[in-house]
Amino acid sequence: MDYKNGTEEKDISKSQLKIIRELNEICLSLNIDLWLRGGWAIDFLLGKITRSHSDIDLVTWIQHREHLEQALVNDGFQLMPVSEFQTDFLKNNVDVSFVFVRYSDNGDIVANGFPEWVWRKDALPMEPYNLRGISMNVLNPYQLLEEKKVYEQGTGRTLRPKDLKSMEIIKRSLM
């Protein structure tokens, strides 16, 4: 189904955007820095919805984990702990995934529980992008590209067609 003509996909995007707005407001109220990653990050970078998304991917600092988890549970999100690296939530049939990062002993940004994944020094810019009245920080586009490489190396699975398309979109946006 073509996104532009698909009512179901528009409804899914509308639900996900509502959750993104809600998450952003919660984090702002708690003074927690938050970044979009994945497909929604690309859409915010471009200022338009490029396709339907299966979930919402976000990043924040590990020191905010407990406070954030409690705030989201209090707001009606269902907590689904995954690992040291990630916590997932569900609300209104929208899947939300948080990856937590920290500084390593030598000052690198690393994914918590996955210290061999060293992030770019400029991975987390405090530069909001806007989409449909929502203003969000987004991972650095180069970091978004590196995530795709890490996905393939870390999982041993080849990149999916949507990953290849995302990489092409990011590369074009960097030109």
Side-chain angles (χ1 to χ4, degrees):
M1 188 181 327
D2 179 21
Y3 172 76
K4 292 177 183 169
N5 298 322
T7 303
E8 183 180 339
E9 280 137 351
K10 286 182 183 178
D11 289 344
I12 291 168
S13 291
K14 188 175 179 181
S15 296
Q16 290 176 348
L17 281 167
K18 183 177 178 185
I19 295 291
I20 290 170
R21 179 184 304 277
E22 190 174 345
L23 292 165
N24 193 37
E25 289 171 359
I26 290 168
C27 288
L28 286 171
S29 73
L30 297 173
N31 201 28
I32 293 175
D33 295 330
L34 179 68
W35 293 266
L36 278 169
R37 52 188 284 271
W40 277 111
I42 294 168
D43 288 359
F44 270 76
L45 282 169
L46 298 175
K48 65 181 181 179
I49 299 174
T50 59
R51 62 177 173 84
S52 66
H53 304 284
S54 59
D55 60 5
I56 301 167
D57 299 304
L58 300 135
V59 176
T60 192
W61 296 101
I62 188 63
Q63 64 265 26
H64 301 305
R65 185 179 201 159
E66 287 181 35
H67 199 194
L68 177 63
E69 288 176 350
Q70 187 60 55
L72 294 180
V73 167
N74 291 345
D75 199 57
F77 285 82
Q78 180 184 354
L79 175 67
M80 301 176 339
V82 176
S83 66
E84 293 177 70
F85 170 67
Q86 173 179 328
T87 299
D88 291 353
F89 296 90
L90 182 66
K91 185 172 184 181
N92 300 333
N93 293 317
V94 174
D95 291 313
V96 178
S97 177
F98 278 89
V99 166
F100 298 95
V101 293
R102 63 178 176 80
Y103 283 108
S104 68
D105 291 339
N106 63 353
D108 292 326
I109 299 170
V110 296
N112 193 62
F114 191 5
E116 55 277 5
W117 182 14
V118 177
W119 289 32
R120 297 173 57 89
K121 299 265 185 234
D122 59 356
L124 305 170
M126 297 300 292
E127 181 182 346
Y129 288 82
N130 299 295
L131 180 65
R132 305 241 174 127
I134 305 169
S135 182
M136 290 283 297
N137 292 321
V138 175
L139 285 187
N140 178 310
Y142 291 102
Q143 181 67 34
L144 290 170
L145 282 174
E146 287 181 19
E147 281 198 3
K148 298 299 182 189
K149 294 175 191 167
V150 168
Y151 172 85
E152 188 171 30
Q153 293 165 355
T155 64
R157 291 181 263 161
T158 54
L159 292 172
R160 303 162 291 185
K162 74 176 189 173
D163 295 319
L164 297 171
K165 184 175 181 181
S166 293
M167 290 174 74
E168 191 56 41
I169 291 169
I170 295 166
K171 288 175 185 175
R172 279 197 313 263
S173 76
L174 293 170
M175 295 176 143

